[in-house]
């Protein structure tokens, strides 16, 4: 995008320069020696800190109690609308996945039954391949249109809520490609889920709906001045992500906790209630429509989420049966350990695959990514078909599968389990257990593993687990929208069911309930892969409607997380690191407190004066990529003491010296900027304003001089701007810090002609309101798109009313943990470092607080010691 797009730092190597922005979104900078990916500097931070400048204060003054209440009421309406829209997106995806999958399986199943007798099974395989390859091809094409729609979207949303701007992550085009793409990739038989993409879709709805405008659809444009800042947008994205989880699992409380635990880095009490309300709205909407469409009973609310686990219940005939006992807890802990190990293995293999793709697939033409998706689809389809035909066992139909209504009380659930039994190549009254797992939608296979009684052989379960594990690991990361929840649950359920079979057959524990072990296995494996605890516990409890499962699920997930964390990070964190996103964790390591703010800050500053000529501003904005500039005056009173190295004035002289040359170069650039400015007779609105006024009389000039003398910013008039004749000492003066102004604010001032001429006082400068300052959000104009012929270079801009006069700041001696906590908890974008007498000596941004940057500085610290 324009001004708010990526801060495009100079590429460090020729190879990177030739790549497109989409490829850079996926690629990180690979560090040759250690083969680790370092955080990239071209990710821009979001601005979560409030800029309390004059326009904002005027906006607050207009806001009386009634207006504030109206504003709050609008927020609740918007939150409800986000929930409803997210539910409708879920409904759309579910309806078409169901439609395409049923069509595909009906055609292929009737073909298999015919061809078993006629011996034309190759034709059945070709039919299945035709369906799957077509669907996956369409999903891949949609990802080519919007590359950020690939994968589950959870890592991207996690980054956004942490304060990092990932390009295109919450655009309308992303939502369309994500929702359409995921229904094709699921219907195409890939081992992917639609739950992760639902979370991303909810987040996009949350980001876009409150803006009442669209960049993709230019005609959608309402004059709605509220919620036009990153801070409000972040809260709505949190609500949307929670609504996505709620719609996916029918778990509104789980969704709220997911947003709190895995998503949001910033949270306040008022947000909790709004997020829960949004999640409830999403669950209600989806439940209402799905129950009506599938059962025809509108208003009965029988299908709360896209993924339904059914009800776990012992059959009334079996008096010995218990869902779980205290003895089983020991087995659950062991399953948690194994789940953690399997999850760590899965993440390790997937990370290697992702690195291989980054080196060998992404740099090539985009068509190669489509071919890779088709290759995965081809392999998956052939494996599924051959395994079902060759490796399955014919098992006897158990009596419970006929009288399933005892076991499964939810209407439609028993029909689901019975209708999903596949009898390929098996004589009457028997069925093929491998085909029953593979030749069904994944949700049906999970229900089979949770609720069918004693029906899968240990060999079938072992083979199914192995094939599913390897293929879903290979699939996650290809160029299609793909979730990881359902494949992980299915993989884990097979593992849990296998444990139950082994305990029953070889240890003789007949009392155990297989469904419980399948559920615990699913939790253990999913926990080992994603490393979520609180939210996942609540999601699984809400999905099973069984509160007694709370303790075993919680213990299993904790053990799985601890075991997995011993080896590597969760899958989402791994993919965040691979993208080189500068994500900030919850806190720093203890040893980082050996560093101070002065060790990690950026001492080479680009600054502006409170009253700066337009030529100078344009020069600064065109020759730098910084997103904020300190507003300073030169502290001439402190010059002599500073040059002596007085401790009070500059206890920071050591890092001031390092910036002398940079500052000198910058001043030279400024003094030359006039030469590059286009000469023009055209004047902007400010100039016309000047021409209409009569020349001021002498008394007025005297009055202006007196006013200037008592302004809060001394030595700031353009006649004192640095010149090339200055000596090094004159160039390098202590800078008194007055505030911080953003690039977007400066460009807005230039675009709107906010300036005054030398013959006037700054009071004559036009004033902008808060609404006018934020009108172009989220895509502010770019300095390179500005028509310079409309600007008079000699005019002066007074930036003081628009800067943030009281940003958070730290002393050079502040410990890194304090700097980190302030930056992280307040959601900052820039943190000025100011010494004891109010001079700015450096600035800290997100990049200076990444783990890798701090580690490098710590190594330097040890070397100097």
């Amino acid at each position: 995008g324009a001004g708010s797009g990526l801060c495009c730092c100079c590429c460090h190597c020729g190879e990177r320069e030739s790549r497109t922005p989409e490829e850079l979104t996926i690629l990180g900078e690979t560090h040759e020696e250690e083969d680790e990916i370092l955080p990239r500097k071209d990710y821009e931070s979001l601005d979560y800190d409030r800029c309390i400048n004059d326009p904002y204060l005027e906006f607050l003054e207009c806001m009386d109690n009634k207006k504030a209440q109206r504003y709050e009421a609008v927020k609740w309406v918007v939150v409800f609308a986000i929930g409803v829209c997210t539910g409708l997106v879920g409904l759309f995806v579910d309806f078409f996945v169901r439609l395409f999958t049923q069509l595909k399986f009906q055609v292929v199943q009737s073909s298999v039954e015919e061809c078993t007798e006629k011996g034309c099974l190759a034709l059945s395989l070709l039919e299945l391949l035709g369906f799957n390859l077509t669907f996956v091809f369409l999903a891949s094409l949609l990802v080519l249109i919007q590359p950020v729609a690939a994968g589950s979207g959870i890592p991207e949303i996690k980054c956004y809520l942490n304060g990092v701007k990932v390009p295109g992550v919450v655009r309308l085009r992303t939502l369309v490609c994500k929702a359409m793409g995921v229904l094709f990739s699921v219907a195409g038989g890939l081992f992917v889920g639609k739950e992760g993409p639902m979370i991303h879709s909810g987040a996009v709805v949350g980001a876009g709906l409150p803006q009442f405008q669209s960049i993709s659809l230019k005609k959608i444009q309402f004059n709605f001045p509220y919620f036009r800042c990153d801070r409000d947008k972040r809260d709505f994205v949190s609500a949307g992500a929670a609504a996505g989880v709620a719609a996916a699992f029918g778990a509104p409380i789980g969704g709220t906790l997911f947003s709190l635990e895995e998503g949001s880095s910033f949270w306040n009490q008022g947000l909790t209630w709004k997020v829960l309300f949004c999640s409830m709205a999403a669950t209600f909407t989806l439940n209402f429509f799905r129950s009506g469409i599938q059962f025809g009973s509108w208003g009965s609310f029988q299908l709360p989420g896209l993924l339904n686990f059914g009800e776990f219940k012992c059959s009334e005939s079996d008096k010995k049966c218990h869902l779980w006992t205290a003895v089983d807890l020991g087995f659950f802990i062991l399953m948690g350990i194994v789940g953690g190990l399997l999850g760590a293995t899965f993440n390790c293999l997937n990370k290697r695959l992702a690195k291989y793709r980054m080196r060998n697939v992404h740099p090539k033409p985009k068509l190669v990514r489509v071919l890779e998706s088709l290759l995965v689809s081809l392999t998956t389809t052939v494996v599924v078909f051959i395994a079902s035909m060759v490796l399955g066992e014919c098992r006897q139909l158990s009596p419970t599968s006929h009288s399933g209504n005892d076991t499964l009380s939810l209407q439609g659930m028993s029909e689901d389990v019975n209708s999903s039994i596949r009898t390929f190549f098996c004589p009457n009254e028997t069925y093929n257990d491998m085909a029953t797992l593979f030749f069904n939608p994944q949700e049906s296979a999970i229900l089979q593993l949770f609720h069918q009684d004693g029906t899968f052989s240990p060999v079938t379960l072992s083979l199914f687990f192995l094939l599913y594990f390897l293929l879903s690991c290979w699939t996650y990361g290809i160029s299609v929208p793909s979730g990881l929840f359902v494949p992980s649950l299915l993989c884990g359920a097979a593992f849990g069911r296998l444990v139950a079979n082994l305990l029953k057959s070889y240890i003789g524990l007949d009392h155990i309930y297989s469904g419980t072990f399948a559920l615990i296995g699913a939790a253990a494996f999913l926990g080992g892969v994603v490393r979520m605890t609180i939210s996942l516990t609540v999601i699984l409890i809400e999905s099973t409607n069984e509160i007694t499962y709370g303790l075993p699920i919680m213990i299993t997930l904790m053990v799985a997380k601890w075991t997995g964390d011993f080896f590597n990070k969760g899958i989402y964190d791994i993919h965040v690191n691979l993208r080189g996103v500068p994500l900030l964790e919850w806190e720093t390591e203890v040893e980082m407190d050996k560093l101070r703010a002065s060790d990690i800050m950026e001492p080479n500053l680009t600054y502006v004066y409170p009253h700066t000529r337009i030529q100078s501003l344009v020069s600064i904005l065109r020759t730098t990529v910084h997103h904020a500039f300190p507003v300073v005056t030169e502290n001439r009173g402190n010059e002599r003491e500073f040059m002596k190295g007085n401790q009070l004035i500059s206890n920071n002289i050591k890092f001031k010296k390092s910036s002398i040359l940079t500052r000198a170069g910058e001043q030279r650039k400024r003094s030359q900027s006039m030469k590059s400015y286009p000469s023009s007779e055209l004047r902007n609105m400010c100039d016309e304003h000047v021409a209409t006024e009569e020349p001021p009389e002498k008394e007025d000039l005297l009055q202006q001089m007196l006013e200037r003398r008592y302004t809060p910013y001394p030595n700031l008039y353009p006649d004192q701007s640095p010149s090339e004749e200055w000596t090094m000492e004159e160039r390098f003066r202590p800078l008194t810090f007055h505030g911080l102004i953003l690039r977007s604010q400066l460009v807005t001032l230039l675009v709107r002609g906010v300036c005054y001429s030398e013959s006037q006082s700054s009071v004559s400068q036009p004033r902008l309101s808060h609404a006018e300052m934020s009108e172009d959000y989220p895509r502010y104009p770019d300095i390179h798109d500005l028509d310079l012929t409309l600007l008079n270079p000699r005019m002066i801009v007074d930036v003081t009313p628009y800067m943030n006069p009281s940003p958070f700041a730290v002393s050079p001696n502040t410990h890194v943990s304090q700097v980190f906590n302030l930056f992280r908890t307040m959601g900052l974008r820039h943190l000025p470092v100011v010494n004891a007498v109010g001079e700015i000596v450096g600035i800290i941004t997100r990049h200076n607080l990444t783990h890798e940057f701090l580690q490098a500085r710590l190594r330097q610290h040890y070397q100097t010691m």
Side-chain angles (χ1 to χ4, degrees):
S4 72
L6 287 181
C7 145
C8 298
C9 284
C10 301
C11 300
H12 300 297
C13 56
E15 189 188 8
R16 278 195 70 202
E17 282 170 351
S18 63
R19 290 195 175 130
T20 63
E22 288 88 352
E23 287 161 350
L24 285 175
T25 306
I26 299 161
L27 287 172
E29 284 177 20
T30 307
H31 198 268
E32 295 298 324
E33 298 159 25
E34 300 164 29
D35 198 33
E36 68 171 336
I37 291 174
L38 301 173
R40 282 171 26 216
K41 287 187 177 180
D42 55 354
Y43 277 110
E44 186 189 330
S45 282
L46 291 161
D47 216 9
Y48 290 162
D49 187 25
R50 276 221 171 91
C51 176
I52 306 180
N53 53 13
D54 288 2
Y56 182 73
L57 292 173
E58 285 162 18
F59 169 71
L60 285 185
E61 279 171 24
C62 300
M63 182 84 87
D64 56 15
N65 277 341
K66 276 191 178 174
K67 277 188 180 173
Q69 284 168 356
R70 209 160 52 230
Y71 181 72
E72 191 63 19
V74 170
K75 250 187 181 173
W76 282 97
V77 172
V78 168
V79 160
F80 179 73
I82 290 168
V84 171
C85 291
T86 305
L88 291 174
V89 171
L91 181 75
F92 167 79
V93 171
D94 180 64
F95 179 79
F96 282 101
V97 166
R98 200 174 279 274
L99 189 73
F100 292 156
T101 311
Q102 278 176 354
L103 174 72
K104 178 178 80 174
F105 282 133
Q106 274 170 8
V107 171
V108 174
Q109 192 173 347
S110 58
S111 168
V112 167
E113 282 164 3
E114 277 179 36
C115 286
T116 306
E117 294 164 16
K118 296 178 184 173
C120 57
L121 279 173
L123 188 65
S124 307
L125 176 58
L126 285 175
E127 283 177 6
L128 185 60
L129 276 171
F131 276 112
N132 285 354
L133 291 175
T134 306
F135 288 147
V136 172
F137 179 68
L138 290 171
S140 266
L141 283 186
L142 286 161
V143 168
L144 286 192
I145 296 169
Q146 188 71 352
V148 82
S152 69
I154 294 176
E156 288 87 350
I157 294 306
K158 195 173 174 177
C159 296
Y160 186 92
L161 292 172
N162 190 262
V164 181
K165 187 166 197 166
V166 181
V169 74
V170 288
R171 298 253 325 249
L172 178 65
R173 195 198 295 174
T174 308
L175 174 64
V176 173
C177 293
K178 194 90 183 183
M180 299 281 287
V182 76
L183 73 88
F184 285 128
S185 54
V186 174
L190 289 176
F191 293 166
V192 298
K194 50 186 184 279
E195 282 63 29
M198 269 306 302
I199 297 166
H200 189 176
S201 302
V204 180
V205 172
L209 195 67
Q211 300 299 311
F212 291 98
Q213 64 174 25
S214 167
I215 291 150
S216 307
L217 304 172
K218 296 274 192 301
K219 287 180 182 173
I220 299 180
Q221 204 86 29
F222 294 98
N223 184 19
F224 187 72
Y226 303 110
F227 314 135
R228 306 194 69 68
C229 65
D230 287 338
R231 191 189 185 92
D232 285 334
K233 200 170 182 180
R234 170 194 78 199
D235 291 349
F236 290 127
V237 169
S238 298
V245 178
F249 296 99
I253 300 168
T256 307
L257 289 170
F258 173 87
S259 203
L260 174 59
E261 178 192 10
E262 193 66 12
S264 290
S265 303
F266 313 96
W267 199 263
N268 60 52
Q269 218 169 357
L271 190 59
T272 313
W273 189 222
K274 289 188 185 77
V275 170
L276 182 59
F277 181 60
C278 186
S279 302
M280 285 289 184
T283 311
F284 161 80
T285 305
L286 190 67
N287 202 340
F288 177 77
F289 283 104
R290 282 189 77 209
S291 303
I293 290 167
Q294 280 186 39
F295 298 131
S297 53
W298 293 90
S300 62
F301 301 108
Q302 293 166 316
L303 295 166
L306 299 181
L307 183 63
N308 205 339
F309 288 168
E311 199 168 318
F312 289 77
K313 227 180 188 180
C314 288
S315 62
E316 288 169 16
S317 56
D318 191 355
K319 300 295 181 201
K320 287 184 182 177
C321 169
H322 298 285
L323 287 183
W324 64 279
T325 61
V327 179
D328 296 339
L329 276 178
F331 294 119
F332 297 159
I333 290 169
L334 291 174
M335 285 169 76
I337 292 170
V338 177
L341 292 170
L342 290 170
T345 310
F346 184 96
N347 293 0
C348 177
L349 290 173
N350 192 265
K351 183 179 180 180
R352 292 188 172 218
L353 262 171
K355 281 189 172 180
Y356 177 81
R357 281 188 182 112
M358 282 164 58
R359 288 197 205 96
N360 303 305
V361 179
H362 293 147
K364 290 182 180 167
K366 289 182 177 179
L367 192 64
V368 177
R369 299 183 205 177
V370 178
L371 292 174
E372 189 203 13
S373 305
L374 293 175
L375 174 66
V376 173
S377 176
L378 178 79
T379 311
T380 305
T381 308
V382 171
V383 165
V384 163
F385 195 86
I386 292 175
S388 301
M389 301 305 138
V390 179
L391 302 173
E393 287 186 26
C394 292
R395 315 277 295 174
Q396 199 68 34
L397 278 171
S398 63
T400 44
S401 62
H402 293 297
S403 58
N405 292 329
D406 296 343
T407 333
L408 309 157
S409 65
L410 274 181
Q411 186 191 345
M413 196 64 68
S414 54
E415 286 87 341
D416 272 359
V417 172
N418 288 334
S419 64
S420 58
I421 287 171
R422 299 281 173 258
T423 57
F424 298 165
F425 310 113
C426 287
N428 291 342
E429 293 300 313
T430 61
Y431 67 96
N432 183 330
D433 61 353
M434 186 71 89
T436 299
L437 291 177
F438 269 136
F439 260 82
N440 270 312
Q442 296 173 91
E443 287 83 354
S444 301
I446 289 174
L447 283 176
Q448 287 284 352
L449 290 166
F450 282 172
H451 299 297
Q452 278 281 44
D453 204 29
T455 50
F456 302 99
S457 76
V459 177
T460 299
L461 288 169
S462 306
L463 287 169
F464 176 79
F465 173 79
L466 187 67
L467 292 171
Y468 220 93
F469 180 93
L470 295 172
L471 285 169
S472 55
C473 186
W474 186 20
T475 307
Y476 189 72
I478 61 172
S479 284
V480 295
S482 56
L484 199 59
F485 273 95
V486 172
S488 300
L489 285 170
L490 184 47
C491 225
F495 155 66
R497 194 67 194 247
L498 176 63
V499 171
N501 276 12
L502 295 175
L503 291 176
K504 278 184 174 179
S505 309
Y506 298 104
I507 303 182
L509 297 175
D510 291 329
H511 72 279
I512 64 175
Y513 182 66
S514 302
T516 302
F517 275 78
L519 176 68
I520 295 299
F525 187 77
L526 183 56
V529 171
V530 300
R531 312 286 159 78
M532 284 157 39
T533 47
I534 310 169
S535 51
L536 202 50
T537 304
V538 176
I539 286 169
L540 292 174
I541 291 170
E542 285 186 277
S543 301
T544 54
N545 285 328
E546 189 56 70
I547 192 66
T548 55
Y549 279 141
L551 181 68
I553 289 173
M554 190 185 286
I555 288 174
T556 309
L557 284 173
M558 274 163 52
V559 172
K561 177 180 161 56
W562 290 338
T563 309
D565 282 346
F566 191 74
F567 298 99
N568 53 26
K569 289 183 171 181
I571 190 83
Y572 301 134
D573 291 322
I574 285 172
H575 279 267
V576 166
N577 290 348
L578 287 174
R579 281 183 174 80
V581 179
L583 193 82
L584 299 184
E585 298 296 335
W586 286 101
E587 51 195 14
T588 56
E589 293 166 9
V590 179
E591 62 174 349
M592 292 302 171
D593 261 351
K594 292 172 180 155
L595 299 173
R596 306 287 173 107
S598 57
D599 297 319
I600 64 165
M601 72 186 189
E602 186 57 56
N604 303 327
L605 298 171
T606 304
Y607 52 89
V608 299
Y609 299 125
H611 295 239
T612 309
R613 285 196 196 285
I614 282 183
Q615 65 172 47
S616 204
L617 278 184
V618 171
S619 171
I620 292 165
L621 291 168
R622 289 202 150 186
T623 54
T624 63
V625 288
H626 305 307
H627 285 278
F629 303 93
V631 181
V632 302
T633 51
E634 292 179 344
N635 191 356
R636 299 178 183 210
N638 288 339
E639 242 172 296
R640 284 196 188 82
E641 291 88 339
F642 174 70
M643 289 307 164
K644 287 182 209 158
N646 178 307
Q647 287 306 299
L648 169 70
I649 300 302
S650 264
N651 52 1
N652 44 2
I653 199 156
K654 65 179 194 314
F655 40 77
K656 275 242 162 186
K657 280 207 170 112
S658 69
S659 64
I660 291 182
L661 294 170
T662 314
R663 289 256 294 275
E666 186 195 323
Q667 300 292 21
R668 210 164 24 254
K669 262 187 204 163
R670 287 192 190 192
S671 56
Q672 289 169 346
S673 66
M674 189 61 195
K675 296 168 193 171
S676 65
Y677 210 98
S679 59
S680 169
E681 294 305 311
L682 291 170
R683 300 285 173 124
N684 71 339
M685 54 184 271
C686 300
D687 257 4
E688 287 161 16
H689 187 62
V690 176
T692 57
E693 288 197 0
E694 293 173 17
E697 294 173 16
K698 285 183 179 176
E699 293 95 83
D700 289 347
L701 279 173
L702 183 67
Q703 186 59 37
Q704 281 179 30
M705 286 171 73
L706 284 170
E707 276 175 18
R708 288 181 184 192
R709 195 175 156 193
Y710 294 109
T711 51
Y713 306 106
N715 321 321
L716 46 84
Y717 282 87
D719 53 310
Q720 294 167 342
S721 288
S723 71
E724 283 197 297
E725 288 72 53
W726 280 12
T727 63
M728 185 65 83
E729 281 73 18
E730 279 178 317
R731 288 181 192 287
F732 182 56
R733 290 198 169 98
L735 300 172
T736 302
F737 178 62
H738 298 292
L740 207 60
I741 190 153
L742 299 177
R743 169 181 284 268
S744 57
Q745 292 171 325
L746 287 175
V747 177
T748 302
L749 295 179
L750 291 175
V751 167
R752 291 176 179 269
V754 177
C755 52
Y756 67 99
S757 70
E758 282 174 289
S759 58
Q760 294 174 301
S761 105
S762 60
V763 180
S764 64
Q765 175 173 286
R767 305 274 292 188
L768 291 186
S769 68
H770 182 65
E772 286 171 319
M773 286 296 287
S774 58
E775 192 180 334
D776 294 316
Y777 178 86
R779 279 178 175 63
Y780 291 103
D782 186 23
I783 188 66
H784 297 286
D785 302 335
L786 207 59
D787 185 1
L788 296 180
T789 55
L790 297 176
L791 294 169
N792 175 5
R794 301 300 297 168
M795 299 292 274
I796 301 158
V797 179
D798 176 9
V799 301
T800 54
Y802 305 100
M803 71 183 187
N804 185 356
S806 52
F808 290 97
V810 290
S811 142
N813 295 320
T814 312
H815 289 278
V816 160
S817 63
Q818 293 169 289
V819 174
F820 188 89
N821 288 341
L822 179 64
F823 198 97
R824 178 77 167 65
T825 50
M826 302 318 296
L828 304 183
R829 187 178 181 184
H830 307 94
L831 185 60
V833 183
V834 179
N835 71 6
V837 290
E839 296 162 8
I840 185 164
V841 293
I843 203 159
I844 291 171
T845 61
R846 170 177 292 273
H847 189 77
N848 302 101
L849 291 169
T850 55
H851 178 74
E852 290 77 5
F853 185 89
L854 292 177
Q855 286 282 11
R857 285 298 154 100
L858 193 64
R859 284 197 289 273
Q860 281 181 15
H861 173 76
Y862 285 135
Q863 283 164 10
T864 52
M865 282 170 67

